[in-house]
Amino acid sequence: MIKKLIPVYENQTPLVVLELIQGHKISEIMSRNVVSVKPDVTMREVKLMMKDRGISGMPVVRQKRLLGIISVEDLLNALEDGLMDDSVEKHMSRNPVILEEQMPVSFAIDYFENYSFNRFPVLNESKELVGMLTDRDIIMHMIKVMNGEIGRLEELAKHGHHTEIGNVIRRYAVVQNDFKNAGKASSEIKALLQEHDVDRKIIRAAATAIYELEINQVVHSLGGEIVCRISDDHVEVLARDRGPGIKNIDLALSEGFSTATDWIRSMGFGAGMGLPNIKRVSDDFRIKSSESGTEIKVIINLPEDS
Ligand SMILES: Nc1ncnc2c1ncn2[C@@H]1O[C@H](COP(=O)(O)OP(=O)(O)O)[C@@H](O)[C@H]1O
Ligand SMILES: [Mg+2]
C-alpha cells in the first residue's frame, strides 16, 4: 500500500519526507469539504449521490457526530437483497476506524498500511467529523511539499551556497509518550545551524533547549508542537501543548523538581533539570500555563558573525 509508495527508513529517507510525515498533522492535508449523509436517507438516494460525485464511500453523520460509513459494497448488498428503500443507518458499518486531526501524517500512513480501507474519517478533539483522508491526499501533499523543496534547492544552487540563514520556520508535532520521535526537532535544528557555521556553544544551547521542551511534551503533556523560527540574529522556539498544564511554575523551575513517574525515571528521564537548563541556556524565557496547556517561548541570540 502507501508505505510501499513512500518507503520510510529512519536513516536514508530525505529530511523533507521525514519532516512531512512526522512534522505535519493530518488536519493540514485532509480534505475538509466532506460529503456526508444523514442516517435516515434511503440507500436509493445514497446511490445517486455516490454516482453523481464519483465516490465510493461516505460518512454517515448526525449533527457532526460520525455514526458510520456507507460504502459501494453496502450498496451492492442492499441492491441484491432488494432493500434500496431502507435507511442508510441499517446498512452502514458502525464504529469505523478513525483518525484524529492532531495526529502526525505518519499515523495515517501506518493506518493505510494496517487496514484495507481507502479512506478514513478525521475527527477533532470534540469528536466531530471535520474531514476525510485518502491516500491520494497524502501523495498530493507530498508532491506539493517536494516541489517547494526542489524549487528551494534549485534557487540555492543558482545563487551558490551562502552562510546567511535567512528566515527558516520548522514545525514539529509532538505526540504523548512517543519517545521514538522525541529529539527530532533538536537534532534537525542542530544540523541546520551546523550547516551555517553557527558557534558550537550556541548550537548546543539551542539543541538543549529544544530537546528538553520536546521531552517535556512527550512525558508530561497530552501532546503539542514545537515551532522553531531561525532568523539571522536569533533562534526562537515556541513549545505549545494541549495540557494538563503546570500547577506551580516556580516549583517546576527549581532544580531537581519532577513529577515524573518511576516508569519515566526508569527510562532515564525525570531528573528535574529540564526547565532550569532551558532557562539557563536561553537569552529570553517566557512560560505560561493553564489546564488547557503550557506555552514556553525561548530565544537564543545568534551573535553577528557566528
Ligand atoms: N509541558 C509540560 N506540561 C505539564 N507539566 C510540565 C511540562 N513541562 C514540565 N512540566 C512539569 O515541570 C516539572 C519539571 O520539569 P523539568 O525541569 O523538565 O523536569 P523533568 O522533566 O525531569 O521532570 C515536570 O516534572 C512536570 O511536573
Ligand atoms: Mg523535563
Side-chain angles (χ1 to χ4, degrees):
M1 296 263 310
I2 192 160
K3 243 190 189 158
K4 297 195 184 101
L5 288 169
I6 308 169
V8 177
Y9 308 106
E10 296 282 322
N11 303 323
Q12 297 160 23
T13 305
L15 281 184
V16 219
V17 178
L18 274 186
E19 206 214 336
L20 172 74
I21 65 165
Q22 295 171 340
H24 286 248
K25 290 177 183 173
I26 288 173
S27 60
E28 296 170 52
I29 69 167
M30 67 188 188
S31 47
R32 286 175 188 276
N33 46 351
V34 181
V35 188
S36 63
V37 279
K38 295 198 173 117
D40 51 1
V41 164
T42 65
M43 293 299 276
R44 203 177 297 285
E45 288 170 281
V46 167
K47 184 180 138 227
L48 283 177
M49 288 174 83
M50 285 200 196
K51 202 174 150 199
D52 280 353
R53 295 185 167 81
I55 48 181
S56 58
M58 279 195 284
V60 182
V61 171
R62 181 191 288 132
Q63 285 167 351
K64 294 192 187 162
R65 299 278 144 177
L66 177 70
L67 304 177
I69 294 271
I70 190 84
S71 68
V72 166
E73 213 180 312
D74 302 323
L75 267 181
L76 291 178
N77 288 335
L79 198 64
E80 204 174 274
D81 300 339
L83 299 172
M84 293 301 278
D85 292 313
D86 273 3
S87 69
V88 166
E89 202 168 10
K90 282 196 183 151
H91 295 271
M92 69 187 184
S93 39
R94 287 165 197 275
N95 305 318
V97 180
I98 57 109
L99 289 166
E100 287 172 39
E101 64 171 352
Q102 298 299 326
M103 288 174 172
V105 174
S106 56
F107 272 56
I109 294 178
D110 283 343
Y111 272 48
F112 281 111
E113 181 74 5
N114 295 332
Y115 300 98
S116 61
F117 305 122
N118 303 317
R119 52 166 57 70
F120 290 97
V122 183
L123 306 190
N124 66 12
E125 283 171 64
S126 324
K127 308 281 174 233
E128 293 164 349
L129 180 74
V130 286
M132 291 294 283
L133 189 77
T134 59
D135 44 8
R136 186 170 181 275
D137 293 327
I138 298 180
I139 290 166
M140 293 312 278
H141 191 73
M142 184 147 296
I143 290 173
K144 217 163 76 187
V145 172
M146 292 217 242
N147 274 340
E149 188 62 14
I150 289 167
R152 195 184 66 83
L153 292 176
E154 279 177 353
E155 253 340 86
L156 208 69
K158 231 188 277 169
H159 300 297
H161 208 73
H162 49 86
T163 48
E164 264 147 67
I165 298 181
N167 284 305
V168 177
I169 300 187
R170 292 275 189 278
R171 257 168 214 283
Y172 303 89
V174 179
V175 176
Q176 182 179 24
N177 290 334
D178 179 12
F179 290 94
K180 193 166 148 250
N181 288 312
K184 186 176 161 282
S186 63
S187 67
E188 259 188 58
I189 298 296
K190 190 167 150 192
L192 207 142
L193 294 173
Q194 273 165 349
E195 266 175 45
H196 291 281
D197 291 330
V198 172
D199 183 86
R200 285 171 65 181
K201 270 193 223 134
I202 290 168
I203 296 179
R204 184 184 294 259
T208 301
I210 299 169
Y211 182 73
E212 295 294 349
L213 290 168
E214 287 182 276
I215 293 292
N216 278 357
Q217 286 192 348
V218 169
V219 171
H220 304 294
S221 86
L222 302 170
E225 65 167 356
I226 308 270
V227 184
C228 303
R229 280 170 220 270
I230 308 174
S231 65
D232 282 333
D233 58 6
H234 69 272
V235 179
E236 178 197 290
V237 186
L238 180 65
R240 282 194 284 231
D241 64 54
R242 294 192 292 280
I246 301 177
K247 286 215 181 68
N248 183 334
I249 291 180
D250 286 336
L251 201 56
L253 285 171
S254 59
E255 294 190 4
F257 175 83
S258 175
T259 58
T261 58
D262 289 344
W263 176 67
I264 299 287
R265 281 170 210 264
S266 73
M267 288 189 293
F269 303 105
M273 290 304 292
L275 289 174
N277 279 338
I278 298 167
K279 207 174 161 187
R280 181 176 53 81
V281 301
S282 54
D283 294 299
D284 190 38
F285 175 90
R286 281 155 214 259
I287 177 165
K288 29 182 204 199
S289 189
S290 72
E291 275 169 26
S292 57
T294 299
E295 195 176 307
I296 298 175
K297 192 164 140 185
V298 157
I299 295 205
I300 292 158
N301 291 329
L302 300 175
E304 223 164 285
D305 49 349
S306 85

